[in-house]
């Protein structure tokens, strides 16, 4: 399809001669994705209307209790500090963004009256600004009105470096915000911005109330009582929170959608493990939902035979990967371990990293562990398909790894362990505790041993590993070991936010309270410059090419070793009707969940 044909079809959509759905189907047929097709219509001034979220109840309440299992237990309830998915999910009970992403990658209004477009005047033709019109009649749980002042405050709060908000990457590219009136704000960008739907959208777009946080901006941000006792606009009001254990809420009677939510109370139970969570939904039906069922597919199939629930799988951009530490976790500089001022003594050799990549048996991990819930991949950025690089492949070869290490001068000693210049190839490899990851570790360790590399396996309780506690040295964001493995989620249909986790300024450090998203602390000037270009490229084809280049730059340096593109596997009790998007949190649309009669 050439540019002339494409522009003709977009014109047909704008004129009503071609339905949006048919246009999307045609684009999918030529290799695009639904989110990309929608973005093209948006850029071209054709309104993109998401389908309504299905919801049958005619009144709010009456649904009784909703019981949820997050086996990685939440540790805080401030979305700006939600470094892990479990904290993002728990925050979505109480807090909401202006808009979220539906399953097709379209924007859905939540606290906004409408999605900005060129047709309604919300999007500037030059890509330099976006205007949001807020929904009328929205109240905070304490009865105060939600206004433009709250939106502006969240920009100020997240942008303040001393706040150390993990969401800063979504807000720092907004040059200024202008209050048009109490229900209208205009965001101004420093350059043409194709991905304007970042700030105030989805998980890091959740808005906290100015009147509860104004006194805790900056250095005092961690002292705010509302970090643990939220006051939001969401469908549920706060009742109780025991960090690392349970979160409880009750229906907000003044919720801005009068017929929602259906359930009277909600409880999140944290802790345990993924297998127990799967059993409690699929086999016994004790709970209504369980998130992130990182369980061998064989076990899930057996549990489903219990007849109480089913496993639902959703395509995502989530990636299970292994990160190698760029810094030295065993050296302290100015009171900081794994300082950017250090280099890892072993991984600094690119041949070591290359050999390690060859020792990861991705195909076996997919076949014997993840099954239908994972796809082996050499890419960090896998979806939407438009952004997936075709330039990379993966290979498992112990023989080639040995050859590389031999040629690089890493010789086997009497113990069989390779060493060079008095430095043995010995690593500490950590991950969170659950069955698939421990089996994954074992597969990798066995291959390493055959290549003369000694690996000490470390398994950390998930509630500790994914904790947002800045004083906890065993969190994945501190990364005080040589290698680690975990999943990072892609919470948006656009990869801009997802790929900022390798920008140099996002490195997790003591200065930013380890809230930076660049956990490996990988830094590359060409990556930074390419990322800046992608932020302002309005042509969707050129922009996709830039993100493919970003993926290739990071994976080819072999500090970041992608393994499995994971589908989102959740457990759902029979009778539960829930809407879930692969581009937003599971609980993003919890207000629309109900139980079929």
């Amino acid at each position: 399809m050439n540019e002339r044909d494409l522009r003709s079809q977009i014109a047909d959509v704008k004129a009503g001669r071609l339905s949006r759905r048919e246009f999307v189907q045609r684009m999918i047929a030529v290799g695009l994705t639904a989110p990309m097709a929608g973005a093209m219509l948006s850029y071209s001034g054709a309104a993109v209307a998401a389908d309504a979220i299905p919801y049958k109840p005619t009144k709010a309440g009456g649904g009784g209790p909703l019981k949820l299992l997050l086996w990685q237990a939440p540790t805080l309830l401030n979305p700006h500090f939600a470094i892990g998915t479990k904290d993002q999910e728990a925050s979505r009970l109480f807090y909401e963004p202006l808009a979220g992403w539906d399953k097709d990658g379209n924007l859905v209004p939540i606290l906004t009256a409408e999605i900005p477009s060129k047709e309604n005047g919300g999007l500037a033709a030059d890509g330099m600004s976006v205007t949001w019109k807020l929904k009328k009649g929205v109240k905070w749980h304490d009865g105060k009105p939600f206004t433009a002042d709250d939106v502006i405050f969240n920009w100020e709060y997240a942008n303040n470096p001393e706040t150390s908000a993990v969401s800063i990457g979504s807000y720092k590219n907004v040059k200024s915000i202008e209050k048009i009136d109490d229900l209208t704000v205009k965001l101004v960008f420093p350059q043409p911005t194709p991905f304007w739907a970042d700030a105030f959208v989805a998980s890091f777009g959740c808005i906290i109330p100015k009147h509860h946080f104004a006194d805790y901006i900056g250095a005092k941000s961690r002292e705010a009582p509302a970090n643990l006792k939220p006051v939001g606009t969401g469908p549920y009001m706060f009742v109780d929170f025991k960090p690392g254990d349970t979160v409880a809420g009750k229906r907000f009677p003044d919720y801005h959608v009068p017929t929602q939510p259906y359930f009277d109370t909600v409880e999140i139970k944290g802790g345990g493990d993924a297998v127990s969570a799967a059993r409690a939904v699929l086999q016994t039906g004790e709970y209504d939902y369980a998130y992130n069922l990182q369980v061998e597919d064989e076990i899930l199939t057996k549990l489903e035979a219990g007849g109480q629930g089913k496993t639902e799988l959703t395509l995502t951009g989530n990636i299970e990967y292994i990160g190698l530490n760029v810094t030295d976790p065993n050296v302290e500089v100015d009171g900081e371990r794994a300082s950017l001022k250090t280099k890892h003594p072993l991984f600094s050799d690119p041949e070591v990293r290359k050999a390690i990549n060859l020792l990861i048996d991705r195909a076996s991990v997919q076949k014997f562990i993840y099954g239908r819930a994972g796809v082996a991949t050499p890419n960090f950025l896998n979806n939407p398909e438009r952004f997936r690089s075709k330039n990379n492949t993966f290979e498992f070869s112990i023989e080639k790894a040995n050859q590389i290490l031999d040629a690089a001068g890493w010789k086997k000693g009497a113990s069989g362990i390779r060493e060079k210049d008095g430095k043995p190839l010995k690593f500490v490899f950590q991950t969170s505790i659950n069955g698939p990851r421990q089996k994954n570790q074992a597969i990798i360790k066995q291959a390493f041993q055959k290549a003369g590399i000694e690996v000490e396996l470390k398994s950390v309780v998930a509630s500790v590993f994914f904790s947002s506690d800045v004083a906890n040295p065993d969190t994945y964001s501190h990364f005080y070991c040589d290698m680690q493995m975990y999943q990072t989620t892609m919470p948006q249909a656009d990869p801009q936010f997802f790929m900022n986790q390798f920008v140099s300024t996002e490195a997790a450090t003591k200065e930013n309270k380890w809230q930076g998203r660049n956990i490996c602390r990988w830094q590359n000037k060409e990556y930074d410059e390419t990322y800046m270009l992608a932020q302002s490229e309005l042509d969707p084809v050129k922009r996709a090419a830039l993100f493919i280049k970003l993926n290739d730059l990071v994976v080819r340096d072999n500090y970041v070793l992608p393994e499995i593109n994971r589908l989102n596997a959740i457990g759902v009790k029979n009778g539960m009707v829930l809407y879930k998007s692969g581009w937003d949190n599971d609980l993003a649309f919890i207000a629309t969940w109900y139980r079929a009669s």
Side-chain angles (χ1 to χ4, degrees):
M1 180 179 294
N2 58 39
E3 182 178 355
R4 182 177 179 180
D5 291 337
L6 180 59
R7 293 189 183 281
S8 175
Q9 292 196 39
I10 291 175
D12 286 344
V13 174
K14 295 171 70 174
R17 295 186 295 269
L18 179 68
S19 73
R20 178 183 174 277
R21 188 176 298 277
E22 187 175 355
F23 173 83
V24 170
Q25 291 172 344
R26 290 183 182 182
M27 295 303 101
I28 291 174
V30 297
L32 292 176
T33 63
M36 277 300 296
M40 291 168 67
L41 291 176
S42 178
Y43 297 148
S44 302
V48 179
D51 293 334
I53 306 299
Y55 186 71
K56 289 186 177 180
T58 56
K59 68 181 183 67
L66 175 61
K67 301 178 67 177
L68 314 176
L69 272 175
L70 272 66
W71 56 272
Q72 293 174 353
T75 54
L76 54 77
L77 298 174
N78 183 332
H80 289 290
F81 297 148
I83 196 168
T85 304
K86 44 49 172 192
D87 293 325
Q88 295 174 12
E89 296 287 6
S91 295
R92 291 301 276 270
L93 296 181
F94 311 108
Y95 292 115
E96 298 175 304
L98 294 184
W101 298 100
D102 74 5
K103 62 184 179 181
D104 293 321
N106 300 314
L107 286 171
V108 177
I110 298 177
L111 292 179
T112 185
E114 61 184 10
I115 299 300
S117 68
K118 290 183 180 179
E119 288 186 338
N120 63 28
L123 289 181
D126 60 3
M128 295 291 289
S129 67
V130 59
T131 300
W132 291 94
K133 296 182 179 180
L134 309 185
K135 189 174 183 179
K136 296 180 180 179
V138 177
K139 296 180 181 178
W140 295 101
H141 293 158
D142 60 5
K144 302 283 187 180
F146 166 70
T147 71
D149 292 330
D150 294 302
V151 177
I152 295 171
F153 169 75
N154 276 254
W155 172 71
E156 296 169 342
Y157 179 90
N159 246 334
N160 188 323
E162 292 188 349
T163 301
S164 296
V166 71
S167 57
I168 188 172
S170 293
Y171 294 90
K172 64 184 180 182
N173 293 316
V174 177
K175 181 181 178 181
S176 63
I177 298 186
E178 178 183 352
K179 178 181 178 181
I180 306 300
D181 57 45
D182 282 347
L183 293 176
T184 311
V185 293
K186 180 180 180 180
L187 280 61
V188 178
F189 305 109
Q191 70 266 327
T193 301
F195 187 43
W196 52 268
D198 187 5
F200 306 110
V201 173
S203 58
F204 288 129
C206 287
I207 298 173
I208 59 177
K210 178 180 180 179
H211 60 287
H212 280 276
F213 286 91
D215 293 335
Y216 298 96
I217 193 171
K220 296 177 63 179
S221 63
R222 294 282 171 166
E223 301 173 18
N227 287 339
L228 301 177
K229 296 182 178 180
V231 177
T233 60
Y236 295 99
M237 301 173 63
F238 175 79
V239 172
D240 188 42
F241 178 39
K242 295 180 176 61
D245 187 11
T246 59
V247 182
K250 63 181 179 180
R251 183 176 67 85
F252 179 32
D254 286 331
Y255 187 54
H256 54 85
V257 181
T259 59
Q260 298 173 1
Y262 167 78
F263 293 99
D264 299 304
T265 62
V266 61
E267 179 189 71
I268 291 176
K269 174 62 179 173
D273 57 68
V275 175
S276 298
R279 182 178 296 112
V281 175
L282 307 178
Q283 188 177 64
T284 69
E286 181 183 356
Y287 283 83
D288 298 303
Y289 155 93
Y291 99 131
N292 189 20
L293 294 185
Q294 192 171 4
V295 179
E296 294 92 323
D297 197 29
E298 180 182 3
I299 294 176
L300 288 176
T301 301
K302 290 179 180 178
L303 292 175
E304 286 174 318
Q308 295 299 310
K310 60 183 177 180
T311 302
E312 290 191 0
L313 299 168
T314 307
L315 181 68
T316 73
N318 301 349
I319 185 76
E320 185 84 11
Y321 80 103
I322 296 167
L324 307 185
N325 204 332
V326 174
T327 63
D328 191 339
N330 299 312
V331 172
E332 189 173 293
V333 177
D334 298 328
E336 180 178 12
R337 289 175 60 185
S339 166
L340 292 175
K341 298 177 181 179
T342 66
K343 295 294 183 183
H344 197 281
L346 305 176
F347 299 147
S348 298
D349 185 343
E351 299 303 291
V352 172
R353 305 196 303 271
K354 189 184 300 182
I356 288 175
N357 195 24
L358 285 166
L359 294 171
I360 300 172
D361 191 355
R362 295 169 174 84
S364 292
V365 171
Q366 175 186 333
K367 181 178 180 180
F368 297 111
I369 298 178
Y370 288 98
R372 56 184 163 152
V375 179
T377 179
N379 292 314
F380 192 85
L381 176 57
N382 289 275
N383 288 310
E385 186 179 356
R386 178 67 173 169
F387 298 104
R388 187 185 308 152
S389 174
K390 295 179 174 63
N391 305 322
N392 307 304
T393 59
F394 62 82
E395 180 183 8
F396 173 63
S397 176
I398 295 173
E399 180 182 1
K400 288 185 179 180
N402 274 308
Q403 291 172 353
I404 288 172
L405 293 172
D406 285 338
W410 292 91
K411 305 301 182 183
K412 289 185 178 180
S415 64
I417 304 303
R418 293 180 181 274
E419 62 177 58
K420 181 180 179 180
D421 300 329
K423 296 180 291 187
L425 281 183
K426 294 183 177 181
F427 308 135
V428 176
F429 177 22
Q430 75 175 12
T431 189
S432 64
I433 293 177
N434 74 32
R437 288 198 174 122
Q438 270 64 75
K439 289 186 177 181
N440 199 340
Q441 278 185 313
I443 290 173
I444 292 171
K445 180 175 182 175
Q446 184 179 37
F448 276 28
Q449 288 174 332
K450 293 179 180 178
I453 301 175
E454 183 176 321
V455 181
E456 176 188 338
L457 300 182
K458 180 180 178 181
S459 301
V460 183
V461 175
S463 60
V464 174
F465 189 71
F466 294 108
S467 171
S468 300
D469 183 0
V470 297
N472 186 342
D474 285 325
T475 68
Y476 77 105
S477 60
H478 281 76
F479 199 179
Y480 287 166
C481 68
D482 305 300
M483 303 168 55
Q484 66 179 1
M485 174 175 58
Y486 60 95
Q487 174 190 247
T488 188
T489 58
M490 184 175 177
Q492 298 162 332
D494 186 282
Q496 182 168 306
F497 177 77
F498 185 68
M499 295 303 286
N500 87 343
Q501 61 191 291
F502 300 116
V503 174
S504 297
T505 54
E506 280 288 326
T509 63
K510 180 180 180 181
E511 183 179 5
N512 60 33
K513 298 182 176 70
W514 297 277
Q515 298 296 296
R517 301 185 69 239
N518 187 343
I519 306 301
C520 292
R521 305 178 179 101
W522 182 77
Q523 296 180 300
N524 181 285
K525 182 180 179 182
E526 185 178 3
Y527 187 98
D528 295 342
E529 292 172 347
T530 304
Y531 186 84
M532 288 183 66
L533 290 174
Q535 286 181 299
S536 58
E537 179 55 66
L538 294 175
D539 185 306
V541 176
K542 292 179 181 179
R543 189 164 179 269
L546 289 171
F547 279 109
I548 288 172
K549 180 180 178 180
L550 290 173
N551 173 84
D552 293 351
L553 282 170
V554 70
V555 302
R556 290 179 179 180
D557 205 21
N558 291 316
Y559 273 106
V560 175
L561 307 173
E563 194 178 30
I564 299 290
N565 173 208
R566 286 180 52 193
L567 279 69
N568 185 7
I570 64 170
V572 180
K573 186 177 179 180
N574 292 340
M576 282 291 298
V577 180
L578 56 86
Y579 185 91
K580 187 171 66 65
S581 166
W583 307 111
D584 211 327
N585 291 123
D586 281 4
L587 307 188
F589 300 102
I590 193 169
T592 69
W593 290 16
Y594 64 96
R595 186 176 286 114
S597 56

